[in-house]
Every structure is written in C-alpha cells, then in structure tokens.
Amino acid sequence: MSFPYTVLDLFSGAGGLTEGFYRNGFDIISHIEKDEFASKTLQTRSLYYALLKINKVHIYYNYYNNRINRDEFLKQCCELGIDNSEVIHEEISLITEDSLIDKINTQLIKRNINKINVVIGGPPCQAYSLIGRGRDRYGMLYDPRNHLYKHYIRFIQTFSPDLFVFENVPGIRSAKNGMIIEDFKKMIDESGYDSDQKILNASNFNVLQNRKRIIIIGWKKEYNLSYPDFAKSQTPYIINDLLSDLPELKPGCGSEISNYTGDRTKYLQESGIRTDETCIRHHVARPHNDRDREIYRIAIEKWNNGKKRIKYTELDPSLKTHKNEKSFLDRFKVVNGNGLSHSIVAHLSKDGHYFIHPDISQCRSLTVREAARIQSFPDNYLFEGPRSSQFIQIGNAVPPLMASGIATKIKDMLNRIYL
C-alpha cells in the first residue's frame, strides 16, 4: 500500500486531533461533527490544507485577514475544484448511522479509495467527566452520551481499519463504576482488535498545559503490534514564553485583526504556534465589571507574590455574589505565567473567572487566541462562530501538538504493517 494513509475522523470537534494527523500527511476521508460552528471550523481548516497542497494558500490568508468574506472564500475554492464534502455536519446516532456510513462510502468511491487505515475520535466527554457527573443529580447515569462509544465501534466494525485511536477524559475509567470502559474493551475484542490504554499528559508533548487524557489505541489481532512508547519529558517552557508577543489588552479592548507587539520566542518558533503571518485573529478581551476586576487583582497578587490561590470565602462580602460558600471555592483562578497552565475547558465560554491572565496590568481573562495558544493551536487556525462557541471548540479539543505526537506513532505502526 502506498502512502498517504487514510483516516475516518469521528466526533471531530474543531479538529484538534485531526490537525495532528493532517501534519503527519494523513488523508482524511471524512470528518463527522454535529456542532454547526465546529463543523465550519473543520471546513475552513480542511480547505487550508487543500489549498496548501496546490500552492494556493494565499486564498486562505485572504479570508483569514478579512480581505474576502466566507462566501467568496468558498466560491474561490470551489472554482479550483475543492469542496467540503468530506466534512459531514450531522449527529451520530442510531437514526443516522446507516446514512452516515453511506456518505463515507460515497466519499471512498468518489476518490477511488478502497481502504480506511485509521479511525480516530472521542465522543463528547461531559458524560464521563468527574465534574459533569458531579453537577448531574443522577451522576449522568441516564445521559444518552454514555453510549456514544457504541457508535464509534459500529464504524470500526463497518470499515475494518488497521488501527484506531480513541480519546477521552480519564473519568471514563470510572464512569458507571467502570462498566463503560469494560464494555468498550469487550466489544473491541469481539470485533477482532487488540488494544491498550494509557493516560497521557499534554505537557509531555511540549504543550504548556497540564492536561491528562486517556488514549486507547487498537490494532487488528493479526498484527504484531503493541502500544507505542511516548516520551515523558516535560516541556522546559512557561506560559510567559507563549503570551509575551501579543498586544496587551484591557477588558473589552482589542480588534479582530491585530499585529504582534513582541518578537517570536524560542518556544513559539520551536512549537510552530506563531506562524509567518504578520496579523493575528481572535485576540479580543472580554469586558469585565469593576467587582470582578477587583477580585482578579486580588487573585493575581496572591498568586504572583506567593503562589497561593484565592478562596471565595476569603473575599470581602462586598465582592461576593453567590450564597454558596461550601463548593467551588476556587472559582477564581490565575493562569500560572511562570509555569504550565491548568487544563483549558469549555466552561471558559461562560465566564473567564477560572482563566485569569497573569499580568496584573491587564487584569482580565484570557482571549480566544490566548486559550488557543495554550492548547497549542497555531495562530493561523481560524475558529468560526461567535466567541462563546470558539471557547467551547478550544476547550473540548485535543491539543494539536499532542495529536501530532500521537499521529507520528500511528504512522510508525502502519509502516510496520505495510513497509
């Protein structure tokens, strides 16, 4: 078999895991994603790679820099014979399974491809996360998302890939008292695959974030393969290496397209996060009221001067707006400028209290671009939709640097099979 290897991308989100496979030269046959704005982000990124392949990437940057609108961007791509038919904006369910399989087969026939080498993806993690279960009175016992892994397995059984990569939060191990992960392993085994799982930390992939994910990798039983070894050396860089070249912003300030104000740091160059463009998107600060800003100042001073986190119970009564003083006492949290960030999550779409910028002179929460950088998305990655959706897309994603490290090992495994 000749390279490139092919990928079916399920529960794609905004394409963090996908990005890692794109960077390693994989050919994505189809992406399936139910969220409207995440699907548009996927479309935009897939067109970026399609244009890059034919040396027409300037069309993408015309769109990125707002020189042309989305309709004109799609029109110019279409005139070059590039469409977005591989991005399927649809929910995966019992009702849609068969029609989605038909659409994927149509893509394979259209492109004269007879084999999918890898299935990747991870169902939405809220039903498996400890936080999600803690907020649901039934512990998400009756959440239909508990069973999305069965759809993932159905696609594996249908397309018989050589390998698969299943990503999720570590909490899936304990969801429903461990029944979900055990059922997944049993069904995978009965489908003809060996598999293994490990909890990996994004910081071991040069991501400036402590973010743990369970990565299950499986392969057909007849292959003499094993779970790959991943390096455990933590990145030597810190968050200040990541944010220092961006314009300083006060709350409510910034423009949708802005210029860098600092030099490219060694980390930004080594990681590839800062691209060659002179302009940057999505660096606009949220507005904050005076009360929240005062809390932010207290939190930043406490953290920067003594590495201590503020507790809600410690605030002056004039700054408190919640009666609950028994749980979520760490609801105001400063990103560690001199170390790694805590895990970026989708809740950032609701407020920025848990992701306060470490610079007290700015005294605000993170922008979309800053959150994307902490997740290791490159600056030329364009997120579609309103700001709230952009934060959700970023918070739910696999960091691209981590995804690239995984994809590299998957390619090595496929090379052992075919070369």
Side-chain angles (χ1 to χ4, degrees), residues 82-96:
I82 304 170
D83 62 26
N84 273 140
S85 59
E86 77 274 15
V87 179
I88 303 172
H89 170 214
E90 207 166 329
E91 183 175 6
I92 300 176
S93 68
L94 286 173
I95 296 172
T96 63

Side-chain angles (χ1 to χ4, degrees), residues 125 128-130 133 167-175 181 197-201 211-215 343:
C125 64
Y128 307 135
S129 72
L130 299 178
R133 279 183 268 160
E167 175 273 338
N168 222 282
V169 293
I172 194 173
R173 283 182 162 180
S174 58
I181 198 71
Q197 56 180 276
K198 290 185 180 178
I199 293 178
L200 305 179
N201 195 326
R211 185 184 189 87
K212 293 182 179 179
R213 286 295 184 269
I214 185 170
I215 305 296
S343 187

Side-chain angles (χ1 to χ4, degrees), residues 7 13 82 86 131 134 158 201-203 236 256 262 281 293 314 320 323 341 364 383 394 412:
V7 172
I82 304 170
E86 77 274 15
I131 293 175
T158 300
N201 195 326
S203 65
E256 184 51 31
R281 294 287 299 269
R293 289 201 77 197
E314 298 172 350
K320 295 178 182 178
K323 293 181 179 179
S341 172
R364 58 171 175 80
F383 297 93
I394 292 165
D412 290 343

Side-chain angles (χ1 to χ4, degrees), residues 291-312 314-315 319 329-337 352-360 363-364:
R291 182 188 61 249
D292 286 342
R293 289 201 77 197
E294 181 57 29
I295 297 173
Y296 287 8
R297 286 189 191 95
I298 296 169
I300 296 169
E301 286 178 351
K302 198 174 184 70
W303 176 254
N304 288 348
N305 294 332
K307 294 293 184 286
K308 292 182 180 179
R309 298 294 187 189
I310 190 171
K311 292 183 179 179
Y312 192 71
E314 298 172 350
L315 293 175
L319 296 174
L329 299 184
D330 64 341
R331 64 189 67 180
F332 293 94
K333 197 166 188 175
V334 180
V335 174
N336 184 8
H353 302 338
Y354 208 64
F355 298 94
I356 303 170
H357 195 288
D359 181 6
I360 197 167
C363 199
R364 58 171 175 80

Side-chain angles (χ1 to χ4, degrees), residues 9 12-20 22 38 41-42 45 377 381 397-398 400:
D9 184 19
S12 308
L17 185 57
T18 319
E19 178 75 4
Y22 269 134
T41 296
L42 276 170
R45 196 62 181 174
F377 280 98
Y381 209 104
V398 177

Side-chain angles (χ1 to χ4, degrees), residues 64 239-249 258-265 268 273-274 278-284 357 359 362 364 366-374 379:
Y64 180 91
I239 287 294
N240 287 335
D241 296 322
L242 183 69
L243 303 181
S244 63
D245 66 324
L246 298 177
E248 295 185 5
L249 300 176
S258 53
N259 297 317
Y260 296 100
T261 54
D263 294 330
R264 184 189 274 111
T265 64
L268 290 171
I273 288 174
R274 177 163 164 178
T278 57
C279 297
I280 191 168
R281 294 287 299 269
H282 305 318
H283 189 51
V284 179
H357 195 288
D359 181 6
Q362 299 185 60
R364 58 171 175 80
L366 297 179
T367 66
V368 167
R369 180 52 61 193
E370 288 165 341
R373 278 186 163 198
I374 292 173
D379 286 349

Side-chain angles (χ1 to χ4, degrees), residues 120-370:
I120 66 172
C125 64
Q126 291 88 344
Y128 307 135
S129 72
L130 299 178
I131 293 175
R133 279 183 268 160
R135 288 175 176 164
D136 187 287
R137 61 182 296 190
Y138 300 109
M140 292 195 166
L141 183 64
Y142 306 110
D143 194 314
R145 291 173 296 183
N146 280 325
H147 303 287
L148 290 175
Y149 69 92
K150 295 179 181 178
H151 301 307
Y152 183 96
I153 292 173
R154 167 78 193 282
F155 283 91
I156 288 175
Q157 292 169 339
T158 300
F159 292 102
S160 189
D162 299 302
L163 306 169
F164 70 83
V165 179
F166 182 94
E167 175 273 338
N168 222 282
V169 293
I172 194 173
R173 283 182 162 180
S174 58
K176 295 186 73 173
N177 295 318
M179 291 171 55
I180 287 178
I181 198 71
E182 287 304 315
D183 191 45
F184 179 89
K185 288 162 60 178
K186 180 175 178 288
M187 293 179 71
I188 282 296
D189 179 72
E190 292 173 349
S191 300
Y193 290 83
D194 288 325
S195 67
D196 201 354
Q197 56 180 276
K198 290 185 180 178
I199 293 178
L200 305 179
N201 195 326
S203 65
N204 294 137
F205 296 84
N206 210 20
V207 179
L208 302 191
Q209 178 185 180
N210 274 311
R211 185 184 189 87
K212 293 182 179 179
R213 286 295 184 269
I214 185 170
I215 305 296
I216 304 175
I217 296 176
W219 52 90
K220 286 187 174 180
K221 289 179 181 288
E222 60 263 32
Y223 299 149
N224 183 27
L225 296 173
S226 60
Y227 198 95
D229 290 325
F230 292 100
K232 292 185 178 180
S233 57
Q234 196 171 56
T235 176
Y237 300 105
I238 60 175
I239 287 294
N240 287 335
D241 296 322
L242 183 69
L243 303 181
S244 63
D245 66 324
L246 298 177
E248 295 185 5
L249 300 176
K250 299 295 184 184
C253 296
S255 55
E256 184 51 31
I257 298 180
S258 53
N259 297 317
Y260 296 100
T261 54
D263 294 330
R264 184 189 274 111
T265 64
K266 185 178 179 182
Y267 174 73
L268 290 171
Q269 183 171 350
E270 183 181 303
S271 65
I273 288 174
R274 177 163 164 178
T275 47
D276 292 333
E277 277 293 283
T278 57
C279 297
I280 191 168
R281 294 287 299 269
H282 305 318
H283 189 51
V284 179
R286 272 187 167 114
H288 298 298
N289 60 44
D290 291 340
R291 182 188 61 249
D292 286 342
R293 289 201 77 197
E294 181 57 29
I295 297 173
Y296 287 8
R297 286 189 191 95
I298 296 169
I300 296 169
E301 286 178 351
K302 198 174 184 70
W303 176 254
N304 288 348
N305 294 332
K307 294 293 184 286
K308 292 182 180 179
R309 298 294 187 189
I310 190 171
K311 292 183 179 179
Y312 192 71
T313 50
E314 298 172 350
L315 293 175
D316 187 275
S318 65
L319 296 174
K320 295 178 182 178
T321 58
H322 299 277
K323 293 181 179 179
N324 181 0
E325 294 193 23
K326 293 184 178 179
S327 59
F328 300 113
L329 299 184
D330 64 341
R331 64 189 67 180
F332 293 94
K333 197 166 188 175
V334 180
V335 174
N336 184 8
N338 292 312
L340 302 181
S341 172
H342 49 291
S343 187
I344 298 292
V345 295
H347 182 80
L348 187 50
S349 66
K350 299 184 183 299
D351 62 60
H353 302 338
Y354 208 64
F355 298 94
I356 303 170
H357 195 288
D359 181 6
I360 197 167
S361 68
Q362 299 185 60
C363 199
R364 58 171 175 80
S365 59
L366 297 179
T367 66
V368 167
R369 180 52 61 193
E370 288 165 341

Side-chain angles (χ1 to χ4, degrees), residues 67-81:
R67 298 187 192 108
I68 58 175
N69 62 28
R70 184 171 179 80
D71 287 341
E72 181 62 25
F73 173 57
L74 296 176
K75 177 185 174 185
Q76 290 187 26
C77 290
C78 188
E79 288 171 350
L80 292 170

